[in-house]
Amino acid sequence: AKVRVHKRPFAAGGLRYAYHMFFDGQARMHLVVKESKFKVKHSSPQEVHRYFLKNHRRAEEFGRAFNRACKAAAGSHNSIAGRARVKFAKAFVVQLDDPSSESG
């Protein structure tokens, strides 16, 4: 399988850069990968991933609660609140090895 990541981010938030990544294997995929702007001290790379996924799952829960609250607020009326929805993309941790990069 071949993986390509753009060299420059297409977006930058307060904490991370976002890059396009293309995976050409049995299934072709276009993904968004994120890289932290900051060097954060963690005891291991696995701890960083657990932290990220835990926060993502927490945000998903807030999104589901928001969706329920909007539905309840709308009642039987066809209002904006009843049509408002928050959706999250699935989160995965991807490890890429690049001997030519600073971090490997």
Side-chain angles (χ1 to χ4, degrees), residues 3-10 18-22 30 33:
V3 175
R4 294 176 291 128
V5 180
H6 283 185
K7 293 182 193 278
R8 285 184 275 145
F10 70 85
Y19 298 85
H20 291 287
M21 182 175 97
F22 301 92
H30 173 205
V33 293

Side-chain angles (χ1 to χ4, degrees), residues 39-86:
K39 297 211 182 283
V40 180
K41 296 234 180 214
H42 290 277
S43 61
S44 71
Q46 291 78 14
E47 183 185 339
V48 174
H49 306 321
R50 275 194 295 276
Y51 179 78
F52 165 75
L53 290 173
K54 178 181 172 185
N55 283 329
H56 186 81
R57 303 292 181 251
R58 218 159 124 211
E60 286 178 314
E61 266 307 309
F62 285 130
R64 283 191 285 276
F66 174 82
N67 292 342
R68 288 190 300 271
C70 286
K71 190 174 181 178
S76 61
H77 300 69
N78 189 16
S79 67
I80 292 173
R83 293 188 308 270
R85 289 203 39 83
V86 173

